[in-house]
Amino acid sequence: MDRFARLDRLPPYVFATVNAIKMNARRAGKDIIDMGMGNPDLATPPHIVDKLVEAVQKPHNHRYSASRGITRLRIAISNWYKRRFDVTIDPETEAIVTIGVKEGISHLILVTIRPGDVVFTPNPTYPIHPYSAIIAGGDVRGIPLRPEIDFFEKLMSATKQTWPRPKILIISYPHNPTTEVVSLEFFEKIVNYAKENEIMVIHDFAYGDLTYDGYEAPSFLQAKGAKEVGVEFFSLSKSYSMPGWRIGFCVGNKEMVGALSRIKSYLDYGPFQPIQIASIIALDGPQDCVEEIRNTYRSRRDSLISGLNRIGWDVNSPKGTMFVWAKIPQKYLKMGSVEFAKLLINEAQVAVSPGLGFGEYGDDFVRFALIENNMRINQAIRGIRKIM
């Protein structure tokens, strides 16, 4: 058991501690309202499911697929980018289908860095961003991402102080867990920074459709010269409520897409073909379902924010994602996020994600996932009121 070298650099999973307490409470008969894992609870739109059922009944779709995705899906991806962002994508050289974003980012990092190469990620951030680099043998430098800090200023400072020079920057906006959003101007600064410092950029755009209050998230590829320095990953998990389908894609820089395509040719045969066929319908079909999903999350966000503020927990309303990033109330701040999350389970019967699980700069926060309906959210507020 001491031979699993790549596990040596992976710390114990912070969320496992809270999950164990949650499961024990449920076994004891407690009704725990789970707003921890960002696992969408909404059904996949019927027209997408119907296409899957139709495709799965055809035996020729049961065979191995293509590791870079079937041609028609790559064309649908390219057309979607042109409609949405007026960005031209070559489906042959600049687009590849992935088995979700986690798989795509992990394999792209694996093929682009050598042991000892430095990767920059925000801190806090989605765990696969730093740990994909650690698993691949790289070194990670976390750039603080907090409301009171200028992220780009910290990025520039870290670049000057880091040797060897960083090879990759991984970013994600709208951001999980902090819900931070940016303008196209920010991406243009990132492109210029990447060119000046010869750094590749990976942008995780998983929450690009989940935006509110008039804000529309720009694509990284809309920035002039973005395809010269990086790629963008998109997932169908949130926009079309297809998390278990494990389907996403990577578009942009043809050398990076080509590298991912080459390593995937050794590792997999792509997602199950009926899922790819149904994904074409998702991208090419009516998009009112995306608006319905967005409105549902907006309603839940409003219920949670108004409820928390009403009981004395002052939390800002996010403009993006399906989360609320809440600073721990002052009287509990010294506990840290893990102990506070335990308190919420035991005393309020509400499960959240401790901010520490996303990086040390997140330890003053907890993350609520908007995966419970409004009635359950109001029940959660009544439980939290007990400790406020």
Side-chain angles (χ1 to χ4, degrees):
M1 299 300 287
D2 60 353
R3 300 174 188 168
F4 305 134
R6 293 199 183 276
L7 296 182
D8 292 344
R9 297 182 64 200
L10 296 179
Y13 201 51
V14 170
F15 303 117
T17 302
V18 176
N19 286 340
I21 295 172
K22 176 183 68 180
M23 295 309 298
N24 288 336
R26 282 181 166 168
R27 291 189 190 102
K30 292 185 177 180
D31 178 19
I32 303 298
I33 300 168
D34 191 355
M35 303 180 76
M37 183 179 177
N39 190 2
D41 64 314
L42 304 175
T44 304
H47 69 285
I48 301 173
V49 176
D50 290 344
K51 191 62 180 181
L52 174 73
V53 172
E54 176 190 318
V56 84
Q57 291 174 336
K58 298 178 180 179
H60 67 267
N61 287 328
H62 301 173
R63 305 176 70 185
Y64 290 131
S65 187
S67 62
R68 64 192 185 116
I70 59 177
T71 301
R72 286 192 299 128
L73 178 52
R74 286 184 281 110
I75 291 172
I77 290 165
S78 300
N79 292 338
W80 184 83
Y81 257 87
K82 189 65 178 177
R83 288 194 308 271
R84 284 289 306 277
F85 305 110
D86 197 25
V87 171
T88 300
I89 298 293
D90 182 344
E92 285 300 312
T93 62
E94 297 178 338
I96 183 170
V97 178
T98 60
I99 308 172
V101 170
K102 287 178 73 172
E103 176 271 319
I105 289 178
S106 298
H107 284 151
L108 180 56
I109 292 292
L110 186 63
V111 79
T112 50
I113 71 169
R114 295 182 174 91
D117 283 345
V118 176
V119 174
F120 279 174
T121 72
N123 185 333
T125 198
Y126 187 51
I128 198 59
H129 296 161
Y131 287 113
S132 61
I134 289 172
I135 291 168
D139 292 327
V140 176
R141 177 79 182 269
I143 313 300
L145 182 58
R146 294 172 65 95
E148 71 276 11
I149 292 175
D150 184 326
F151 174 80
F152 193 80
E153 183 179 298
K154 290 293 184 182
L155 175 63
M156 297 294 288
S157 176
T159 305
K160 294 175 183 176
Q161 298 170 8
T162 299
W163 190 263
R165 301 304 295 272
K167 191 166 186 179
I168 295 177
L169 168 66
I170 304 177
I171 52 177
S172 178
Y173 294 99
H175 186 254
N176 173 19
T178 69
T179 72
E180 291 283 327
V181 296
V182 296
S183 65
L184 183 57
E185 181 184 9
F186 174 84
F187 285 144
E188 289 169 345
K189 290 168 62 177
I190 291 292
V191 170
N192 292 333
Y193 156 83
K195 288 181 177 180
E196 291 171 7
N197 294 279
E198 298 182 347
I199 294 174
M200 290 178 281
V201 178
I202 297 173
H203 181 234
D204 182 350
F205 200 32
Y207 298 94
D209 281 324
L210 300 188
T211 58
Y212 319 108
D213 305 336
Y215 172 74
E216 294 184 10
S219 162
F220 170 70
L221 297 183
Q222 287 178 284
K224 185 178 179 180
K227 284 201 287 187
E228 297 172 32
V229 298
V231 294
E232 184 164 79
F233 282 87
F234 187 82
S235 167
L236 276 68
S237 294
K238 284 76 182 182
S239 300
Y240 302 94
S241 203
M242 297 168 63
W245 298 52
R246 306 314 303 134
I247 192 83
F249 53 82
C250 172
V251 291
N253 182 272
K254 62 176 61 178
E255 285 79 18
M256 295 173 71
V257 169
L260 179 56
S261 176
R262 186 171 178 184
I263 195 171
K264 279 174 67 64
S265 70
Y266 285 92
L267 296 172
D268 68 71
Y269 289 107
F272 186 40
Q273 192 151 294
I275 292 176
Q276 296 190 58
I277 293 169
S279 298
I280 296 170
I281 298 303
L283 295 173
D284 282 348
Q287 300 297 297
D288 53 336
C289 59
V290 179
E291 182 66 22
E292 291 174 13
I293 290 169
R294 182 189 299 118
N295 287 337
T296 298
Y297 286 126
R298 181 193 295 115
S299 174
R300 293 176 179 184
R301 176 204 66 168
D302 292 346
S303 292
L304 180 61
I305 293 294
S306 63
L308 291 174
N309 288 337
R310 188 170 63 249
I311 63 174
W313 189 348
D314 188 20
V315 179
N316 293 326
S317 184
K319 290 186 177 181
T321 77
M322 50 179 284
F323 305 110
V324 167
W325 185 238
K327 189 167 186 179
I328 299 171
Q330 188 63 40
K331 70 176 180 177
Y332 294 114
L333 196 54
K334 291 183 179 179
M335 294 178 69
S337 60
V338 176
E339 293 304 314
F340 182 67
K342 292 179 184 178
L343 177 71
L344 284 178
I345 293 174
N346 292 326
E347 301 298 329
Q349 298 189 30
V350 176
V352 298
S353 292
L356 182 63
F358 303 98
E360 64 269 29
Y361 290 113
D363 201 24
D364 291 347
F365 295 80
V366 292
R367 190 196 72 179
F368 291 84
L370 301 173
I371 56 171
E372 294 276 9
N373 61 41
N374 288 344
M375 184 178 70
R376 295 280 283 172
I377 288 172
N378 290 332
Q379 183 181 338
I381 295 299
R382 290 193 293 273
I384 295 170
R385 181 189 285 121
K386 297 175 184 176
I387 68 164
M388 295 297 291

